[in-house]
Amino acid sequence: MVDYSKWKNIEISDDEDDTHPNIDTPSLFRWRHQARVERMAEMDHEKDEFKKKRQSYQARLMDVKERISKKDGDEEALKKELEKIEADGKELDRIESEMIKKENKTPWNVDTISKPGFEKTVINKKAGRKADENLSEEEREQRMRQFVKENEKLCKQYGMLRKYDDSKRFLQEHLHLVGEETANYLVIWSINLEMEEKHELMAHVAHQCICMQYILELAKQLDVDPRACVSSFFSKIQHCQPEYRAQFDSEIEGFKGRIQKRAQEKIQEAIAQAEEEERKERLGPGGLDPADVFESLPDELKACFESRDVELLQKTIAAMPVDVAKLHMKRCVDSGLWVPNAADLEGDKKEEDDSGDVAGGEEKTDDAKSESAAKEEPIYTGVSTEDVD
């Protein structure tokens, strides 16, 4: 059973039930309060004086005991001094017991009825935005590569979400994704999807990208960390005004248009690069493109090359002016359309093949073996630096 008796004796300075109609109540309250404050100050003073006496007693006791153990001085006098100190200690114990009894009998008041468990004030404050780091282009690219390497799977999971609640929950569980790196990755992914003609998927990823960009823009306006704006954005977009929604949809459509334009540009760049590489592979020994040279030839020379009639070519060249014939033939040689002394080259090649067959029957020397091994295709053929990265 709970004992409530300790709550019966509480001293209250402004208890109006104890006042008499002929007594000035405010003056009585002030007197009671002043008397209580003085009594508490006197008790605190007594406690401080007692604490000093107790410390002095313990120091004297340790000193005498140490001198007795070391036999430093008259032993009889030290023993008498020790007895006197011990008597003082018993007197201090009696005084302490009386002080405890007196404190227990003292009525509680507003200052002693309770004590603060802790004194601490915590003010929640949103984290500020991180200052833009002064990174070089190489450092930014390296950081982006590292981010994609570590979070590509999570970025794709976010890009495939369709409901606002799912996106909000996912970003709150992976707050490190809320940043410029995720937005940049979604832009690149959208361009690649458009180049692969996956238009519907591109439109969905573009929507998620715009959501991320709106979060970043909101954080910039409020000057807070973007991670603190995830909940605010999704709550706003789900219960927004028609004007805000129309602006959001317009931004998505404009973004998809920019993605489609950029995808077409990249396709054209890829086609132009492939054609340039193909043209370089076609270049003859003189650095001319055989297709361009063929188109620039007169019709009669074109017919000779198309029919591969050497006699007709010789007759046609002989019928042409010398300067014109030399110009066309030189360009044909430089582009590889015409190989002079082709018969002699074929004969030399045949002789080399015959000598190679004869030598093939003989035992290879160590140098030949090492040269053959050097010509073998290495095991890492086909691996690019991008695969290594």
Side-chain angles (χ1 to χ4, degrees):
M1 186 174 181
V2 181
D3 182 13
Y4 294 100
S5 60
K6 62 181 180 179
W7 303 103
K8 293 181 179 180
N9 190 18
I10 299 177
E11 182 179 8
I12 303 176
S13 301
D14 54 354
D15 191 349
E16 298 181 359
D17 295 338
D18 294 340
T19 60
H20 191 274
N22 296 332
I23 297 177
D24 184 20
T25 302
S27 299
L28 178 62
F29 290 166
R30 286 195 298 270
W31 175 80
R32 284 181 174 178
H33 178 73
Q34 182 65 26
R36 178 174 61 80
V37 171
E38 291 177 355
R39 286 197 305 270
M40 291 181 62
E42 185 179 354
M43 289 183 64
D44 292 339
H45 179 70
E46 291 179 358
K47 289 180 181 179
D48 293 338
E49 292 296 327
F50 177 79
K51 186 177 180 181
K52 292 178 181 179
K53 291 180 180 179
R54 176 69 76 178
Q55 292 175 351
S56 176
Y57 158 74
Q58 292 177 350
R60 289 164 54 204
L61 182 63
M62 291 178 60
D63 180 62
V64 172
K65 286 184 177 181
E66 185 178 358
R67 289 167 62 188
I68 291 175
S69 62
K70 294 182 178 180
K71 297 180 180 182
D72 183 11
D74 188 0
E75 186 175 355
E76 291 297 331
L78 291 174
K79 287 183 178 180
K80 290 182 181 180
E81 187 178 356
L82 178 61
E83 291 176 359
K84 182 180 178 181
I85 294 174
E86 290 177 348
D88 293 341
K90 292 180 180 179
E91 179 65 17
L92 290 174
D93 292 339
R94 185 187 65 79
I95 295 174
E96 184 179 12
S97 178
E98 290 180 356
M99 291 177 62
I100 294 175
K101 290 179 181 179
K102 182 179 178 181
E103 186 176 0
N104 291 336
K105 291 180 180 180
T106 302
W108 283 2
N109 55 62
V110 68
D111 296 324
T112 60
I113 198 171
S114 63
K115 295 181 180 180
F118 59 90
E119 294 181 359
K120 184 178 181 180
T121 303
V122 179
I123 300 176
N124 292 330
K125 185 177 180 182
K126 293 181 179 180
R129 296 179 67 250
K130 295 181 179 179
D132 295 335
E133 301 179 8
N134 295 325
L135 301 178
S136 63
E137 290 298 328
E138 294 181 359
E139 292 173 339
R140 291 180 183 274
E141 183 178 356
Q142 180 63 28
R143 187 170 68 175
M144 183 64 187
R145 287 179 179 271
Q146 185 66 24
F147 176 83
V148 173
K149 181 179 180 182
E150 296 175 354
N151 303 287
E152 183 175 11
K153 184 177 179 180
L154 293 176
C155 290
K156 287 191 174 182
Q157 290 180 9
Y158 166 73
M160 297 299 290
L161 297 176
R162 295 188 176 275
K163 296 181 179 179
Y164 286 123
D165 290 335
D166 294 339
S167 299
K168 175 183 176 181
R169 189 181 307 108
F170 185 83
L171 290 179
Q172 288 178 336
E173 293 175 355
H174 306 87
L175 288 175
H176 64 283
L177 296 180
V178 185
E180 293 285 348
E181 290 80 5
T182 301
N184 294 338
Y185 177 81
L186 294 177
V187 171
I188 297 173
W189 189 20
S190 300
I191 294 175
N192 293 336
L193 291 174
E194 180 64 23
M195 292 175 65
E196 296 171 4
E197 297 184 355
K198 298 178 180 179
H199 307 297
E200 293 184 1
L201 184 57
M202 181 277 293
H204 181 70
V205 175
H207 174 273
Q208 295 296 90
C209 181
I210 292 298
C211 289
M212 181 61 66
Q213 291 181 356
Y214 261 64
I215 293 174
L216 298 177
E217 184 63 25
L218 180 61
K220 185 177 180 181
Q221 293 176 359
L222 299 178
D223 194 23
V224 296
D225 192 287
R227 293 172 292 184
C229 298
V230 174
S231 179
S232 301
F233 166 74
F234 285 106
S235 298
K236 184 175 182 179
I237 196 64
Q238 288 178 289
H239 307 90
C240 62
Q241 297 294 330
E243 295 80 5
Y244 185 85
R245 186 71 189 192
Q247 180 184 359
F248 181 77
D249 294 339
S250 175
E251 184 66 28
I252 294 177
E253 293 301 322
F255 180 73
K256 290 192 294 186
R258 294 191 295 272
I259 290 295
Q260 293 170 353
K261 180 179 178 181
R262 181 55 183 158
Q264 290 297 324
E265 291 176 354
K266 290 182 68 68
I267 291 174
Q268 296 299 325
E269 291 174 1
I271 293 175
Q273 183 178 0
E275 292 178 349
E276 180 64 20
E277 292 178 355
E278 183 181 356
R279 189 188 69 81
K280 289 181 179 179
E281 293 178 357
R282 293 199 309 263
L283 295 181
L288 297 181
D289 187 353
D292 295 340
V293 173
F294 181 80
E295 292 298 329
S296 65
L297 293 177
D299 293 338
E300 54 271 20
L301 285 179
K302 286 183 181 180
C304 297
F305 281 104
E306 289 175 351
S307 62
R308 297 186 179 184
D309 190 340
V310 178
E311 293 183 1
L312 179 60
L313 177 61
Q314 292 175 351
K315 292 180 181 179
T316 304
I317 290 295
M320 298 176 68
V322 177
D323 295 340
V324 176
K326 285 184 177 181
L327 175 62
H328 287 307
M329 291 308 298
K330 183 179 184 307
R331 298 184 74 240
C332 290
V333 171
D334 292 341
S335 64
L337 281 175
W338 177 258
V339 180
N341 302 324
D344 297 339
L345 293 176
E346 290 180 359
D348 296 340
K349 183 177 180 181
K350 184 176 180 181
E351 292 179 359
E352 290 178 359
D353 294 340
D354 294 340
S355 62
D357 294 339
V358 174
E362 299 177 356
E363 183 179 0
K364 292 184 179 180
T365 62
D366 293 340
D367 294 339
K369 291 181 179 180
S370 61
E371 182 179 358
S372 176
K375 292 182 179 180
E376 291 181 357
E377 184 178 6
I379 59 174
Y380 52 81
T381 298
V383 179
S384 65
T385 56
E386 294 180 357
D387 296 329
V388 176
D389 292 340

